[in-house]
Amino acid sequence: MLTPEMLAAIRERAELAGDAPFSFDGDYIRDKDGFIIGEVWREPHGEFFAHACQDIPQLLGEIERLQMRWDALKEHVSVRREIALYDADGTRGSKRYFYGGASGALTNVRDMILALEKESDALDR
């Protein structure tokens, strides 16, 4: 899993590199003025390097967007679950309501979120 520190370091390197348009002609990576800035021996690598300055910031933006959505989902489920635990009169609901109603469904969603995060952490090890 990419930590916030790792993402910040990648973003810093990407910002230092700038977003200059590069091209690859099959042998060389060239800057926008046509000057050779690197030689690459294989086609896929040249295309990758030539587009990295534009692709990496886009990927970082998508990662950040998805992380914000994930955090918002967790918060929403947590808040809605707490609301569902209370009866209309403001007292905490019964076990039967908890396990059979909206709070039960939200508890299942919360448990799935926790399981997915735990699984992700285990894969990172």
Side-chain angles (χ1 to χ4, degrees):
M1 182 165 105
L2 291 172
T3 65
E5 294 80 17
M6 294 165 78
L7 286 171
I10 293 169
R11 181 167 295 286
E12 183 178 340
R13 289 191 296 269
E15 287 173 355
L16 287 173
D19 63 351
F22 297 107
S23 62
F24 179 64
D25 65 11
D27 293 312
Y28 302 103
I29 297 173
R30 298 177 182 272
D31 67 11
K32 64 180 178 167
D33 297 319
F35 293 108
I36 296 172
I37 60 167
E39 182 176 8
V40 180
W41 293 277
R42 289 188 283 179
E43 176 87 25
H45 293 108
E47 288 296 327
F48 175 79
F49 294 132
H51 294 280
C53 287
Q54 290 83 29
D55 294 347
I56 290 174
Q58 289 178 348
L59 291 170
L60 289 170
E62 181 65 6
I63 289 168
E64 290 167 352
R65 185 188 73 78
L66 292 171
Q67 285 177 333
M68 287 190 303
R69 297 290 300 266
W70 184 257
D71 291 342
L73 172 65
K74 289 193 304 187
E75 179 66 21
H76 177 77
V77 167
S78 178
V79 168
R80 299 303 302 170
R81 181 177 174 273
E82 284 302 312
I83 291 169
L85 287 172
Y86 289 88
D87 289 331
D89 64 359
T91 61
R92 197 150 175 107
S94 68
K95 274 189 171 181
R96 188 176 67 172
Y97 175 76
F98 176 80
Y99 289 107
S103 59
L106 290 164
T107 297
N108 291 340
V109 172
R110 183 207 57 194
D111 292 347
M112 284 301 298
I113 289 171
L114 295 173
L116 287 169
E117 288 179 337
K118 189 175 184 180
E119 182 180 304
S120 175
D121 290 343
L123 291 173
D124 290 338
R125 289 186 200 135

